[in-house]
Each structure stands twice: as C-alpha cells, then as structure tokens.
Amino acid sequence: MLARHGMSKESRIGYSIGIGYPPDWGEHTVSLRAAEETVLAPGMAFHVILGMWSDDWGYELSEPVLVTDSGAERLTHQPQELIVID
C-alpha cells in the first residue's frame, strides 16, 4: 500500500514485551519487521509502534497487543482515533 504512494517502511513495526522479554539495549528480542523469522505463538506480547515521518507531516500508532489463538488482542481500552496536532 505504501509503495503505490512512493513510500516504504524499512524499520520495524514492533517489538516483544512482557516478563519473558526484559528490556535489553542489545535488542535481543523479537523485532517485528520483514526479515523476522520468529514464529508468533499464543501468549506472546508486543508493543506495536507504526509510524512514518516526513519533513512537514508524520503519524504514529502505538499500543500493546497479545497474540491469541484467534489473532491479536489489544491490551488497552484507548479509543482508536486520529488526533491531528497543528
């Protein structure tokens, strides 16, 4: 979808969180990106952080999710709405 607008997203879109994945400056955790080969399984938790920035605009989406047997479950109850800041 981005490519048809002349854009690409090379950086990751999320990383593992939770008791099994303590913070680590060396980034030795699951990193959600095209080259990641880890198989996702129920019980894994991730901080999904999508964003694109340009010189005069940008957007960011950030929330924790849990992998379940039926897909992903949001771990927040915040509204999913666009907030525009001028």
Side-chain angles (χ1 to χ4, degrees):
M1 185 170 179
L2 292 173
R4 69 179 170 194
H5 297 285
M7 299 166 43
S8 65
K9 174 76 172 166
E10 302 300 325
S11 61
R12 68 182 177 181
I13 62 166
Y15 52 89
S16 54
I17 59 172
I19 195 164
Y21 299 98
D24 182 290
W25 287 107
E27 297 291 339
H28 300 290
T29 62
V30 178
S31 188
L32 300 177
R33 64 178 77 225
E36 180 62 52
E37 296 182 0
T38 301
V39 175
L40 302 186
M44 291 178 153
F46 295 91
H47 177 216
V48 176
I49 181 165
L50 300 165
M52 294 286 290
W53 299 270
S54 186
D55 292 337
D56 57 351
W57 64 270
Y59 82 88
E60 186 171 314
L61 165 84
S62 172
E63 70 180 322
V65 298
L66 176 67
V67 177
T68 69
D69 288 325
S70 60
E73 174 187 337
R74 295 177 63 219
L75 296 177
T76 63
H77 299 288
Q78 292 298 105
Q80 289 182 312
E81 61 187 47
L82 179 62
I83 300 170
V84 178
I85 301 173
D86 289 323

